[in-house]
Amino acid sequence: MTSSDFSKHLLEWYDKFGRHSLPWQLEQSPYHVWISETMLQQTQVSTVTPYFKRFIHRFPSVCALAQADEDELMRYWSGLGYYRRAMYLHQSAKIIQDKHNGLVPDTYDNLIQLPGIGRSTAGAILSLGYNKAFPILDGNVKRVLCRYYGIKGWPDATKNLKQLWSLAETLLPQNRSRDYGQASMDLGALVCHKKKPKCTQCPLQAQCQTFRYQEFDTIPGKKPKTKIKKKTFYALLQQNSEHQWLLTKQPKEGLWPNLWTFPLIETKPESSSYVLQPFKHQLTHYQLTIIPILAFERAIEIPHEHFSLQAMKQLGLNRPSQKIAETLMLQPAQIPLMIS
Ligand code: SF4
């Protein structure tokens, strides 16, 4: 199959079976593509959809995002994880507002200089947003290409990645760039599943090397294992005489950049008692155990502020603190008043 046959078969399939009404396809603006592609990194379409709708409703343009209050922005992102993505969006929106008149750049060179925009996101903005011929290489596209060409090993290994970019560029059609970009992602998402690909429905089956040799279990290869570390945090619960709870803002470099949390410490304070059930929280490289604990000490040395449970709804809280706040809402009577 030549590269033009590849795109022809893929586009014919897309016209009949592709996704045409995702929320970010309704108005295919480069801004919507940028936001959705950033949200979709490491996150499923079904999870992203409600976040995207809320986000665009509140921040309908680059300028609205550039002028956003950071806490409010984090609140709209809270629960999606990988919080640095939200910080990069904010930083990039400010740059676009100042340097590009509020218009998402339409050249690769300008896009790639923005914080948080890598080669694939730039390609998605240019192809889906501007209908220009640039390759996208997200997880779905990588899987399809690895299988179609029988590329063994982990797709993100340097050698494989280089080959995949080169193939993705070679396969680009001369026209219908927007549809081709969407089609290449859709085939991976809808047909060439990680487990049990639906090869009988695939427009590329005739030339697919993985189908030919039935190597679905080994192609694409798995990511080399990174060790998941275990950590325990004590979440300090301390309220003032107005029944407001003490929260701290996490540093930019930590696990939850710029999010508010109940103070999290790794050593149990001497003067404290257990009040709520400990719970587990999974991050990419950490399995956390969070132990909410009533803290009796007056002095908290890190910068902090007090908030009512109601006011916390307006903050960007990390997920464990949201969970604690929700529990406190439900069982306030069990928590004695603390003086801080
Ligand atoms: Fe994937 Fe099967 Fe299509 Fe090959 S034939 S690209 S393995 S769905």
Side-chain angles (χ1 to χ4, degrees), residues 143-144 147-148 187 191-193 197-200 202-206 208-211 216:
R143 187 168 58 256
V144 170
R147 283 186 169 152
Y148 182 77
L187 189 73
V191 174
C192 193
H193 295 193
K198 300 175 182 168
C199 301
T200 52
C202 180
L204 308 177
Q205 193 211 79
C208 175
Q209 295 303 300
T210 299
F211 177 76
F216 310 109

Side-chain angles (χ1 to χ4, degrees), residues 16-166:
K16 284 190 199 151
F17 304 111
R19 297 180 288 194
H20 300 270
S21 54
L22 292 167
W24 40 92
Q25 290 177 307
L26 301 179
E27 180 196 316
Q28 278 188 319
S29 73
Y31 176 63
H32 285 197
V33 172
W34 173 38
I35 301 298
S36 62
E37 283 300 314
T38 305
M39 287 184 169
L40 285 163
Q41 290 162 14
Q42 323 279 348
T43 315
Q44 303 277 336
V45 166
S46 56
T47 307
V48 164
T49 296
Y51 278 91
F52 175 82
K53 287 180 179 170
R54 277 198 300 271
F55 194 96
I56 290 297
H57 185 70
R58 174 61 190 87
F59 308 112
S61 65
V62 172
C63 292
L65 178 56
Q67 286 152 23
D69 171 73
E70 200 172 78
D71 276 342
E72 192 188 8
L73 174 62
M74 284 306 184
R75 179 157 58 84
Y76 277 80
W77 199 271
S78 180
L80 266 181
Y82 300 94
Y83 293 96
R84 250 171 222 95
R85 292 181 295 174
M87 284 172 50
Y88 288 147
L89 279 180
H90 202 200
Q91 289 167 13
S92 293
K94 288 179 186 171
I95 297 171
I96 295 172
Q97 180 180 246
D98 295 345
K99 286 195 177 169
H100 303 285
N101 295 324
L103 296 172
V104 176
D106 62 355
T107 66
Y108 181 82
D109 289 347
N110 282 337
L111 282 169
I112 204 73
Q113 285 175 27
L114 295 170
I117 296 192
R119 191 170 173 184
S120 187
T121 305
I125 294 170
L126 292 168
S127 66
L128 306 180
Y130 287 109
N131 202 22
K132 291 186 172 188
F134 277 84
I136 302 172
L137 205 53
D138 73 348
N140 285 318
V141 181
K142 284 177 196 165
R143 187 168 58 256
V144 170
L145 293 183
C146 280
R147 283 186 169 152
Y148 182 77
Y149 288 102
I151 298 171
K152 294 187 168 46
W154 182 42
D156 284 324
T158 311
K159 182 171 145 267
N160 284 345
L161 205 51
K162 203 172 160 200
Q163 186 182 2
L164 289 170
W165 275 115
S166 161

Side-chain angles (χ1 to χ4, degrees), residues 69 71 236-250 258-263 298-309 311-312 314-317 321 340:
D69 171 73
D71 276 342
L236 304 184
L237 309 185
Q238 197 172 85
Q239 61 180 329
N240 64 14
S241 54
E242 289 159 31
H243 298 278
Q244 294 169 318
W245 294 90
L246 188 146
L247 298 182
T248 61
K249 200 167 193 185
Q250 293 291 312
N258 283 3
L259 288 182
W260 289 93
T261 70
F262 289 91
R298 277 166 183 266
I300 295 256
E301 284 165 16
I302 38 182
H304 61 270
E305 281 184 46
H306 287 87
F307 297 92
S308 67
L309 292 174
M312 283 183 209
Q314 303 305 314
L315 294 177
L317 284 182
S321 297
S340 64

